[in-house]
Amino acid sequence: MSNAIPPEPPIDRAALRAKLIAARLALPDRHERAVELQSVLRVWLVSRKETAIGGYWPIKGEFDPLPALYRWAESADERRIGLPVVDRTEATLKFNVWFPGCPMEPDAYDIPKPKGTATFDPQLVLLPCIGYGPEGVRLGYGGGFYDRTVASLRPRPYTVGLSYSNGFLPMLRAGPDDLGLDALLTDDGVVWQR
């Protein structure tokens, strides 16, 4: 008889994503958490030297980083904010310049994207997290767009996950193709940074 501990069954990431999105949408204090995370992000951005940041348009109850990014951009000249635009051929993202009031149109997934603005490579990328684990492990939507995009950019941009603190999954481990984050911010503050 063997005394070996059987391996844990693999996590059903699709079911976990659905559960976490439903929980995020049902948060009774999501607005208050968003206000806290806006403050955390604004303070964190103050010390950053990057001048080109890729953000995202929030969907499915995600935290909206755009107000903090706009405040960051207006505090100094030559700062650019970009939003992702899906490149279907490469299954990656490109970042197009965004500013409040810029023309928008739906992308391949019906998410608003800037219309007719310049493309640029961000020095820092903010990534939405459905959930997160220890040491910067991110659970995204599973398409791998951010992972492939960041891996293709030279130099590699600094990556920052944004999530509400209820998305913490202590047993979450990175998969072989998962992007490791450089920092992770939640409504509780900076919870991970290399």
Short mmCIF file of all heavy atoms in Angstrom, two decimals, residues 130-190:
data_model
loop_
_atom_site.label_atom_id
_atom_site.label_comp_id
_atom_site.label_asym_id
_atom_site.label_seq_id
_atom_site.Cartn_x
_atom_site.Cartn_y
_atom_site.Cartn_z
N ILE A 130 -9.94 38.43 -13.19
CA ILE A 130 -11.17 37.84 -12.64
C ILE A 130 -10.86 37.37 -11.23
O ILE A 130 -11.65 37.52 -10.31
CB ILE A 130 -11.67 36.68 -13.52
CG1 ILE A 130 -12.06 37.19 -14.90
CG2 ILE A 130 -12.84 35.98 -12.85
CD1 ILE A 130 -12.43 36.10 -15.87
N GLY A 131 -9.67 36.78 -11.08
CA GLY A 131 -9.18 36.33 -9.79
C GLY A 131 -7.67 36.40 -9.79
O GLY A 131 -7.04 36.65 -10.82
N TYR A 132 -7.08 36.18 -8.63
CA TYR A 132 -5.63 36.22 -8.51
C TYR A 132 -5.19 35.32 -7.37
O TYR A 132 -5.94 35.04 -6.45
CB TYR A 132 -5.11 37.65 -8.32
CG TYR A 132 -5.57 38.29 -7.01
CD1 TYR A 132 -4.76 38.26 -5.89
CD2 TYR A 132 -6.81 38.91 -6.92
CE1 TYR A 132 -5.18 38.83 -4.69
CE2 TYR A 132 -7.24 39.48 -5.74
CZ TYR A 132 -6.42 39.44 -4.62
OH TYR A 132 -6.84 39.99 -3.45
N GLY A 133 -3.94 34.85 -7.50
CA GLY A 133 -3.39 33.97 -6.49
C GLY A 133 -2.11 34.55 -5.92
O GLY A 133 -1.74 35.69 -6.22
N PRO A 134 -1.41 33.78 -5.10
CA PRO A 134 -0.17 34.25 -4.49
C PRO A 134 0.89 34.59 -5.56
O PRO A 134 0.91 34.01 -6.64
CB PRO A 134 0.29 33.05 -3.64
CG PRO A 134 -0.91 32.19 -3.48
CD PRO A 134 -1.76 32.42 -4.69
N GLU A 135 1.72 35.53 -5.23
CA GLU A 135 2.88 35.90 -6.03
C GLU A 135 2.54 36.31 -7.46
O GLU A 135 3.24 35.98 -8.42
CB GLU A 135 3.92 34.79 -6.02
CG GLU A 135 4.43 34.50 -4.62
CD GLU A 135 5.48 33.41 -4.58
OE1 GLU A 135 5.84 32.85 -5.64
OE2 GLU A 135 5.94 33.12 -3.47
N GLY A 136 1.47 37.06 -7.63
CA GLY A 136 1.16 37.62 -8.93
C GLY A 136 0.57 36.68 -9.95
O GLY A 136 0.65 36.93 -11.14
N VAL A 137 -0.08 35.60 -9.52
CA VAL A 137 -0.75 34.71 -10.45
C VAL A 137 -2.10 35.34 -10.80
O VAL A 137 -2.86 35.73 -9.92
CB VAL A 137 -0.95 33.30 -9.86
CG1 VAL A 137 -1.76 32.42 -10.80
CG2 VAL A 137 0.39 32.66 -9.54
N ARG A 138 -2.37 35.45 -12.10
CA ARG A 138 -3.59 36.09 -12.58
C ARG A 138 -4.51 35.08 -13.24
O ARG A 138 -4.08 34.25 -14.02
CB ARG A 138 -3.21 37.16 -13.61
CG ARG A 138 -4.39 37.76 -14.35
CD ARG A 138 -3.90 38.76 -15.42
NE ARG A 138 -5.02 39.25 -16.19
CZ ARG A 138 -5.41 38.77 -17.38
NH1 ARG A 138 -4.75 37.79 -17.95
NH2 ARG A 138 -6.44 39.29 -17.99
N LEU A 139 -5.79 35.18 -12.94
CA LEU A 139 -6.81 34.42 -13.65
C LEU A 139 -7.56 35.41 -14.53
O LEU A 139 -8.23 36.31 -14.03
CB LEU A 139 -7.78 33.73 -12.68
CG LEU A 139 -8.88 32.89 -13.33
CD1 LEU A 139 -8.28 31.68 -14.05
CD2 LEU A 139 -9.91 32.46 -12.30
N GLY A 140 -7.38 35.27 -15.85
CA GLY A 140 -8.07 36.13 -16.80
C GLY A 140 -9.23 35.37 -17.43
O GLY A 140 -9.71 34.38 -16.89
N TYR A 141 -9.62 35.81 -18.61
CA TYR A 141 -10.77 35.21 -19.28
C TYR A 141 -10.41 33.94 -20.04
O TYR A 141 -11.29 33.25 -20.54
CB TYR A 141 -11.43 36.22 -20.22
CG TYR A 141 -12.14 37.30 -19.45
CD1 TYR A 141 -11.52 38.52 -19.18
CD2 TYR A 141 -13.42 37.10 -18.94
CE1 TYR A 141 -12.16 39.50 -18.46
CE2 TYR A 141 -14.07 38.07 -18.21
CZ TYR A 141 -13.44 39.27 -17.97
OH TYR A 141 -14.07 40.25 -17.23
N GLY A 142 -9.13 33.62 -20.17
CA GLY A 142 -8.73 32.36 -20.76
C GLY A 142 -8.37 32.40 -22.23
O GLY A 142 -7.98 31.38 -22.79
N GLY A 143 -8.45 33.56 -22.86
CA GLY A 143 -8.12 33.65 -24.28
C GLY A 143 -6.63 33.77 -24.56
O GLY A 143 -6.18 33.53 -25.68
N GLY A 144 -5.85 34.18 -23.56
CA GLY A 144 -4.41 34.31 -23.72
C GLY A 144 -3.96 35.54 -24.48
O GLY A 144 -2.78 35.68 -24.81
N PHE A 145 -4.85 36.47 -24.77
CA PHE A 145 -4.50 37.66 -25.54
C PHE A 145 -3.41 38.49 -24.86
O PHE A 145 -2.43 38.88 -25.49
CB PHE A 145 -5.73 38.54 -25.80
CG PHE A 145 -6.66 37.99 -26.84
CD1 PHE A 145 -7.76 37.23 -26.47
CD2 PHE A 145 -6.43 38.21 -28.18
CE1 PHE A 145 -8.62 36.70 -27.41
CE2 PHE A 145 -7.29 37.70 -29.15
CZ PHE A 145 -8.38 36.94 -28.76
N TYR A 146 -3.60 38.76 -23.57
CA TYR A 146 -2.59 39.56 -22.85
C TYR A 146 -1.27 38.81 -22.75
O TYR A 146 -0.20 39.40 -22.91
CB TYR A 146 -3.09 39.95 -21.46
CG TYR A 146 -4.06 41.11 -21.48
CD1 TYR A 146 -5.42 40.91 -21.29
CD2 TYR A 146 -3.62 42.41 -21.67
CE1 TYR A 146 -6.31 41.96 -21.31
CE2 TYR A 146 -4.50 43.48 -21.68
CZ TYR A 146 -5.85 43.24 -21.50
OH TYR A 146 -6.73 44.30 -21.52
N ASP A 147 -1.32 37.51 -22.47
CA ASP A 147 -0.10 36.71 -22.35
C ASP A 147 0.72 36.78 -23.64
O ASP A 147 1.92 37.05 -23.60
CB ASP A 147 -0.44 35.25 -22.02
CG ASP A 147 -1.25 35.11 -20.75
OD1 ASP A 147 -0.66 35.28 -19.67
OD2 ASP A 147 -2.45 34.86 -20.84
N ARG A 148 0.09 36.54 -24.77
CA ARG A 148 0.79 36.57 -26.06
C ARG A 148 1.27 37.97 -26.40
O ARG A 148 2.37 38.15 -26.91
CB ARG A 148 -0.12 36.04 -27.18
CG ARG A 148 -0.29 34.53 -27.15
CD ARG A 148 -1.07 34.03 -28.36
NE ARG A 148 -2.44 34.53 -28.40
CZ ARG A 148 -3.46 33.98 -27.76
NH1 ARG A 148 -3.27 32.92 -27.00
NH2 ARG A 148 -4.67 34.48 -27.88
N THR A 149 0.44 38.97 -26.12
CA THR A 149 0.82 40.35 -26.44
C THR A 149 2.04 40.78 -25.65
O THR A 149 3.01 41.28 -26.23
CB THR A 149 -0.36 41.30 -26.16
OG1 THR A 149 -1.47 40.90 -26.97
CG2 THR A 149 0.00 42.74 -26.47
N VAL A 150 2.00 40.60 -24.35
CA VAL A 150 3.13 41.01 -23.51
C VAL A 150 4.40 40.25 -23.90
O VAL A 150 5.48 40.82 -23.99
CB VAL A 150 2.80 40.84 -22.01
CG1 VAL A 150 4.03 40.99 -21.14
CG2 VAL A 150 1.72 41.84 -21.60
N ALA A 151 4.26 38.96 -24.18
CA ALA A 151 5.42 38.15 -24.57
C ALA A 151 6.04 38.64 -25.88
O ALA A 151 7.24 38.49 -26.10
CB ALA A 151 5.03 36.68 -24.70
N SER A 152 5.23 39.23 -26.75
CA SER A 152 5.74 39.67 -28.06
C SER A 152 6.37 41.06 -28.04
O SER A 152 7.08 41.42 -28.97
CB SER A 152 4.61 39.64 -29.09
OG SER A 152 3.69 40.69 -28.86
N LEU A 153 6.08 41.85 -27.01
CA LEU A 153 6.58 43.23 -26.98
C LEU A 153 8.02 43.29 -26.49
O LEU A 153 8.39 42.62 -25.54
CB LEU A 153 5.69 44.10 -26.10
CG LEU A 153 4.26 44.30 -26.60
CD1 LEU A 153 3.43 45.04 -25.57
CD2 LEU A 153 4.25 45.05 -27.93
N ARG A 154 8.84 44.12 -27.15
CA ARG A 154 10.23 44.35 -26.75
C ARG A 154 10.48 45.84 -26.66
O ARG A 154 10.24 46.53 -27.63
CB ARG A 154 11.21 43.74 -27.76
CG ARG A 154 11.11 42.24 -27.86
CD ARG A 154 11.63 41.56 -26.59
NE ARG A 154 11.50 40.12 -26.64
CZ ARG A 154 10.48 39.43 -26.16
NH1 ARG A 154 9.49 40.03 -25.58
NH2 ARG A 154 10.45 38.12 -26.24
N PRO A 155 10.90 46.35 -25.53
CA PRO A 155 11.08 45.60 -24.29
C PRO A 155 9.73 45.19 -23.70
O PRO A 155 8.72 45.80 -23.98
CB PRO A 155 11.81 46.58 -23.38
CG PRO A 155 11.45 47.93 -23.89
CD PRO A 155 11.24 47.78 -25.37
N ARG A 156 9.80 44.16 -22.86
CA ARG A 156 8.58 43.67 -22.21
C ARG A 156 8.03 44.75 -21.29
O ARG A 156 8.76 45.31 -20.47
CB ARG A 156 8.90 42.41 -21.39
CG ARG A 156 7.69 41.81 -20.68
CD ARG A 156 8.14 40.74 -19.68
NE ARG A 156 7.06 40.04 -19.07
CZ ARG A 156 6.40 40.45 -17.98
NH1 ARG A 156 6.72 41.57 -17.39
NH2 ARG A 156 5.43 39.72 -17.46
N PRO A 157 6.75 45.06 -21.42
CA PRO A 157 6.17 46.06 -20.52
C PRO A 157 6.01 45.53 -19.09
O PRO A 157 5.90 44.33 -18.88
CB PRO A 157 4.82 46.37 -21.14
CG PRO A 157 4.48 45.17 -21.94
CD PRO A 157 5.78 44.56 -22.38
N TYR A 158 6.00 46.44 -18.15
CA TYR A 158 5.71 46.13 -16.75
C TYR A 158 4.22 45.79 -16.69
O TYR A 158 3.39 46.51 -17.24
CB TYR A 158 6.04 47.35 -15.90
CG TYR A 158 6.10 47.09 -14.43
CD1 TYR A 158 7.26 46.62 -13.84
CD2 TYR A 158 5.00 47.33 -13.62
CE1 TYR A 158 7.33 46.38 -12.46
CE2 TYR A 158 5.06 47.11 -12.25
CZ TYR A 158 6.22 46.63 -11.68
OH TYR A 158 6.27 46.41 -10.32
N THR A 159 3.86 44.70 -16.03
CA THR A 159 2.46 44.25 -16.01
C THR A 159 1.87 44.38 -14.61
O THR A 159 2.47 43.95 -13.63
CB THR A 159 2.35 42.80 -16.49
OG1 THR A 159 3.18 41.97 -15.68
CG2 THR A 159 2.75 42.66 -17.95
N VAL A 160 0.67 44.96 -14.56
CA VAL A 160 0.00 45.22 -13.30
C VAL A 160 -1.42 44.69 -13.35
O VAL A 160 -2.22 45.12 -14.19
CB VAL A 160 -0.04 46.74 -13.00
CG1 VAL A 160 -0.69 47.01 -11.65
CG2 VAL A 160 1.35 47.34 -13.07
N GLY A 161 -1.74 43.73 -12.50
CA GLY A 161 -3.09 43.21 -12.41
C GLY A 161 -3.94 44.08 -11.50
O GLY A 161 -3.45 44.61 -10.49
N LEU A 162 -5.20 44.24 -11.87
CA LEU A 162 -6.16 45.01 -11.07
C LEU A 162 -7.35 44.12 -10.76
O LEU A 162 -7.92 43.50 -11.67
CB LEU A 162 -6.62 46.26 -11.83
CG LEU A 162 -5.53 47.26 -12.20
CD1 LEU A 162 -6.10 48.36 -13.08
CD2 LEU A 162 -4.90 47.85 -10.96
N SER A 163 -7.71 44.05 -9.48
CA SER A 163 -8.81 43.18 -9.07
C SER A 163 -9.40 43.69 -7.76
O SER A 163 -8.72 44.36 -6.99
CB SER A 163 -8.29 41.75 -8.86
OG SER A 163 -9.34 40.89 -8.45
N TYR A 164 -10.63 43.32 -7.53
CA TYR A 164 -11.19 43.53 -6.19
C TYR A 164 -10.66 42.41 -5.31
O TYR A 164 -10.42 41.29 -5.76
CB TYR A 164 -12.72 43.53 -6.23
CG TYR A 164 -13.28 44.66 -7.06
CD1 TYR A 164 -14.13 44.42 -8.12
CD2 TYR A 164 -12.95 45.98 -6.77
CE1 TYR A 164 -14.64 45.46 -8.88
CE2 TYR A 164 -13.45 47.02 -7.52
CZ TYR A 164 -14.29 46.76 -8.57
OH TYR A 164 -14.79 47.80 -9.33
N SER A 165 -10.49 42.71 -4.04
CA SER A 165 -9.86 41.76 -3.12
C SER A 165 -10.66 40.47 -2.93
O SER A 165 -10.10 39.46 -2.53
CB SER A 165 -9.59 42.43 -1.77
OG SER A 165 -10.79 42.94 -1.22
N ASN A 166 -11.95 40.48 -3.24
CA ASN A 166 -12.74 39.24 -3.09
C ASN A 166 -12.32 38.18 -4.12
O ASN A 166 -12.72 37.04 -4.01
CB ASN A 166 -14.23 39.53 -3.23
CG ASN A 166 -14.61 39.85 -4.67
OD1 ASN A 166 -14.05 40.76 -5.28
ND2 ASN A 166 -15.55 39.11 -5.20
N GLY A 167 -11.47 38.54 -5.11
CA GLY A 167 -11.04 37.59 -6.13
C GLY A 167 -9.82 36.78 -5.75
O GLY A 167 -9.29 36.02 -6.57
N PHE A 168 -9.36 36.89 -4.49
CA PHE A 168 -8.16 36.15 -4.09
C PHE A 168 -8.45 34.66 -3.99
O PHE A 168 -9.41 34.22 -3.37
CB PHE A 168 -7.64 36.65 -2.75
CG PHE A 168 -6.41 35.93 -2.28
CD1 PHE A 168 -5.23 36.00 -3.01
CD2 PHE A 168 -6.42 35.17 -1.13
CE1 PHE A 168 -4.09 35.33 -2.60
CE2 PHE A 168 -5.29 34.49 -0.70
CZ PHE A 168 -4.12 34.57 -1.44
N LEU A 169 -7.58 33.87 -4.65
CA LEU A 169 -7.69 32.42 -4.66
C LEU A 169 -6.38 31.84 -4.14
O LEU A 169 -5.41 31.71 -4.90
CB LEU A 169 -7.96 31.93 -6.09
CG LEU A 169 -9.18 32.53 -6.78
CD1 LEU A 169 -9.13 32.30 -8.27
CD2 LEU A 169 -10.45 31.96 -6.17
N PRO A 170 -6.30 31.49 -2.87
CA PRO A 170 -5.03 31.07 -2.28
C PRO A 170 -4.41 29.83 -2.92
O PRO A 170 -3.21 29.64 -2.88
CB PRO A 170 -5.36 30.82 -0.81
CG PRO A 170 -6.84 30.73 -0.73
CD PRO A 170 -7.40 31.46 -1.90
N MET A 171 -5.21 28.99 -3.56
CA MET A 171 -4.69 27.76 -4.16
C MET A 171 -4.39 27.91 -5.65
O MET A 171 -3.97 26.95 -6.29
CB MET A 171 -5.68 26.61 -3.95
CG MET A 171 -6.02 26.34 -2.49
SD MET A 171 -4.56 26.03 -1.47
CE MET A 171 -4.16 24.39 -2.01
N LEU A 172 -4.62 29.08 -6.23
CA LEU A 172 -4.40 29.29 -7.66
C LEU A 172 -2.91 29.24 -7.99
O LEU A 172 -2.09 29.90 -7.35
CB LEU A 172 -4.98 30.64 -8.11
CG LEU A 172 -4.92 30.92 -9.61
CD1 LEU A 172 -5.79 29.93 -10.39
CD2 LEU A 172 -5.37 32.35 -9.89
N ARG A 173 -2.55 28.46 -8.99
CA ARG A 173 -1.17 28.34 -9.45
C ARG A 173 -1.14 28.68 -10.93
O ARG A 173 -2.11 28.45 -11.66
CB ARG A 173 -0.63 26.92 -9.23
CG ARG A 173 -0.59 26.48 -7.78
CD ARG A 173 0.37 27.35 -6.95
NE ARG A 173 0.36 26.97 -5.56
CZ ARG A 173 -0.26 27.65 -4.59
NH1 ARG A 173 -0.94 28.72 -4.88
NH2 ARG A 173 -0.19 27.27 -3.33
N ALA A 174 -0.02 29.19 -11.38
CA ALA A 174 0.13 29.56 -12.78
C ALA A 174 0.20 28.33 -13.67
O ALA A 174 0.81 27.33 -13.30
CB ALA A 174 1.38 30.41 -12.96
N GLY A 175 -0.41 28.43 -14.82
CA GLY A 175 -0.28 27.39 -15.84
C GLY A 175 0.99 27.64 -16.64
O GLY A 175 1.64 28.69 -16.49
N PRO A 176 1.37 26.71 -17.49
CA PRO A 176 2.63 26.85 -18.23
C PRO A 176 2.70 28.06 -19.15
O PRO A 176 3.77 28.60 -19.39
CB PRO A 176 2.72 25.54 -19.04
CG PRO A 176 1.36 24.96 -19.04
CD PRO A 176 0.65 25.49 -17.83
N ASP A 177 1.57 28.54 -19.65
CA ASP A 177 1.56 29.68 -20.55
C ASP A 177 1.07 30.97 -19.89
O ASP A 177 0.89 31.98 -20.56
CB ASP A 177 0.69 29.38 -21.78
CG ASP A 177 1.21 28.22 -22.59
OD1 ASP A 177 2.45 28.09 -22.70
OD2 ASP A 177 0.39 27.44 -23.11
N ASP A 178 0.84 30.93 -18.58
CA ASP A 178 0.30 32.10 -17.89
C ASP A 178 1.36 33.16 -17.68
O ASP A 178 2.50 32.87 -17.33
CB ASP A 178 -0.30 31.71 -16.53
CG ASP A 178 -1.60 30.95 -16.66
OD1 ASP A 178 -2.18 30.93 -17.77
OD2 ASP A 178 -2.05 30.38 -15.66
N LEU A 179 0.94 34.39 -17.85
CA LEU A 179 1.78 35.55 -17.65
C LEU A 179 1.92 35.82 -16.15
O LEU A 179 0.92 35.91 -15.45
CB LEU A 179 1.12 36.76 -18.34
CG LEU A 179 1.69 38.13 -18.10
CD1 LEU A 179 3.04 38.25 -18.81
CD2 LEU A 179 0.73 39.18 -18.65
N GLY A 180 3.15 35.94 -15.67
CA GLY A 180 3.37 36.34 -14.28
C GLY A 180 3.34 37.86 -14.18
O GLY A 180 3.97 38.55 -14.98
N LEU A 181 2.58 38.37 -13.25
CA LEU A 181 2.47 39.82 -13.09
C LEU A 181 3.68 40.39 -12.35
O LEU A 181 4.30 39.71 -11.55
CB LEU A 181 1.20 40.15 -12.30
CG LEU A 181 -0.13 39.75 -12.95
CD1 LEU A 181 -1.27 39.94 -11.97
CD2 LEU A 181 -0.36 40.54 -14.23
N ASP A 182 3.96 41.66 -12.61
CA ASP A 182 5.00 42.37 -11.89
C ASP A 182 4.44 43.02 -10.63
O ASP A 182 5.17 43.26 -9.67
CB ASP A 182 5.64 43.43 -12.79
CG ASP A 182 6.36 42.81 -13.98
OD1 ASP A 182 7.19 41.91 -13.75
OD2 ASP A 182 6.08 43.20 -15.12
N ALA A 183 3.15 43.33 -10.64
CA ALA A 183 2.49 43.92 -9.48
C ALA A 183 1.01 43.59 -9.54
O ALA A 183 0.47 43.31 -10.61
CB ALA A 183 2.69 45.43 -9.46
N LEU A 184 0.37 43.62 -8.38
CA LEU A 184 -1.06 43.37 -8.30
C LEU A 184 -1.65 44.35 -7.29
O LEU A 184 -1.18 44.43 -6.15
CB LEU A 184 -1.33 41.93 -7.85
CG LEU A 184 -2.79 41.53 -7.82
CD1 LEU A 184 -3.36 41.48 -9.23
CD2 LEU A 184 -2.97 40.19 -7.15
N LEU A 185 -2.65 45.11 -7.74
CA LEU A 185 -3.31 46.11 -6.90
C LEU A 185 -4.77 45.72 -6.70
O LEU A 185 -5.43 45.28 -7.64
CB LEU A 185 -3.25 47.50 -7.55
CG LEU A 185 -1.92 48.00 -8.08
CD1 LEU A 185 -2.07 49.40 -8.67
CD2 LEU A 185 -0.86 48.00 -7.00
N THR A 186 -5.24 45.87 -5.47
CA THR A 186 -6.66 45.64 -5.16
C THR A 186 -7.15 46.79 -4.32
O THR A 186 -6.40 47.71 -3.98
CB THR A 186 -6.88 44.32 -4.37
OG1 THR A 186 -6.46 44.51 -3.02
CG2 THR A 186 -6.15 43.14 -5.01
N ASP A 187 -8.41 46.73 -3.96
CA ASP A 187 -8.98 47.74 -3.08
C ASP A 187 -8.34 47.70 -1.70
O ASP A 187 -8.49 48.63 -0.91
CB ASP A 187 -10.50 47.59 -2.99
CG ASP A 187 -10.96 46.16 -2.81
OD1 ASP A 187 -10.66 45.31 -3.66
OD2 ASP A 187 -11.60 45.88 -1.78
N ASP A 188 -7.58 46.65 -1.39
CA ASP A 188 -6.83 46.58 -0.12
C ASP A 188 -5.44 47.17 -0.24
O ASP A 188 -4.72 47.24 0.76
CB ASP A 188 -6.71 45.12 0.35
CG ASP A 188 -8.02 44.60 0.92
OD1 ASP A 188 -8.89 45.41 1.29
OD2 ASP A 188 -8.16 43.36 1.00
N GLY A 189 -5.00 47.55 -1.44
CA GLY A 189 -3.68 48.14 -1.63
C GLY A 189 -2.82 47.33 -2.60
O GLY A 189 -3.34 46.55 -3.39
N VAL A 190 -1.51 47.50 -2.49
CA VAL A 190 -0.57 46.76 -3.33
C VAL A 190 -0.37 45.40 -2.63
O VAL A 190 0.23 45.34 -1.57
CB VAL A 190 0.78 47.49 -3.46
CG1 VAL A 190 1.75 46.68 -4.31
CG2 VAL A 190 0.57 48.89 -4.06
#
